[in-house]
Amino acid sequence: MKPQLRRALWILGLGLLAIALAAAGAWYLRGDNAEIRSGGVVAGGGSALGGSFELVDQEGRTRTQADFAGRYLLVYFGFTYCVDACPLALLAMTQALDRLPAETADRVQPLFVTVDPARDDPAQIRLYLQNFHPRFVGLTGAPEQIAAAAKAWRVVYEPPKPDAEGNYQVNHTTIIYLMGPDGSFIRHFDHLSSATDIAAALQATVK
Ligand code: NI
């Protein structure tokens, strides 16, 4: 399938998903992972979020925070088998970057970090990211490396509880972090933020 067609189908599918989520609205937000979704994030800049990490990208290359120095980062933790928040978040990040002038968008690096390293190896992440912005870097690693990165961003995720077929979803924080070129936290969005809002915030922030 052509990438454009695949993306169009994804957008269509996600549109339907968004409608379903809206219908489920109140229930969804009051669900058992409402707490986990909000994580420990505090509003406003200057808090000690983020930091050093050592992970592996979708091409199998080791990546550390130093590789992204001097760039704005949009950082999101999730997993490729996620059926709710993750596709919405990655699509919003993709569409926000698509709406910006190239000189602004090019200063922002979108990052996806898996919280499910058991299934999300580099090849799986590479496949998944074909549905989203071409400049996405997807990161995985050993469970302890993922745990360290998640802790730095105050992301929490629950241990998987596989069903009889071995399938599972992972409850996790669904915050999108905007980090500055010096590595400091600027502000956050979440998986229900619109691409329009994210793009406007980036336009106002990225210098
Ligand atoms: Ni998810």
Side-chain angles (χ1 to χ4, degrees), residues 28 37 76-87 112 115 128 169-174:
Y28 186 69
R37 286 179 192 290
Y76 181 81
F77 286 73
F79 65 110
T80 69
Y81 290 83
C82 180
V83 295
D84 47 52
C86 293
F112 169 76
V115 294
Y128 182 65
Q169 290 286 301
V170 182
N171 280 336
H172 62 93
T173 305
T174 56

Side-chain angles (χ1 to χ4, degrees), residues 9-87:
L9 286 173
W10 261 86
I11 290 168
L12 176 65
L14 290 170
L16 295 173
L17 180 63
I19 291 165
L21 283 178
W27 168 83
Y28 186 69
L29 289 173
R30 264 189 266 115
D32 63 358
N33 49 13
E35 203 169 307
I36 215 167
R37 286 179 192 290
S38 61
V41 173
V42 277
S47 33
L49 269 169
S52 59
F53 60 83
E54 183 173 327
L55 296 165
V56 176
D57 72 13
Q58 71 266 40
E59 308 297 337
R61 295 173 296 213
T62 299
R63 295 292 200 125
T64 72
Q65 74 290 341
D67 295 326
F68 306 104
R71 315 201 64 195
Y72 289 85
L73 298 180
L74 271 181
V75 184
Y76 181 81
F77 286 73
F79 65 110
T80 69
Y81 290 83
C82 180
V83 295
D84 47 52
C86 293

Side-chain angles (χ1 to χ4, degrees), residues 58 78 85 88 91 113 116 134 145 154 175 183 187 190 195:
Q58 71 266 40
L88 293 174
L91 185 66
V113 186
D116 184 19
Q145 291 174 306
R154 297 185 212 163
I175 302 289
R187 61 166 294 171
D190 67 29

Side-chain angles (χ1 to χ4, degrees), residues 1-2 4 17-18 79 86 103 127 140 148 152 158 170 206:
M1 204 184 291
K2 283 209 163 81
Q4 295 91 331
L17 180 63
F79 65 110
C86 293
E103 63 269 26
L127 196 64
T140 185
E158 292 178 345
V170 182
V206 174

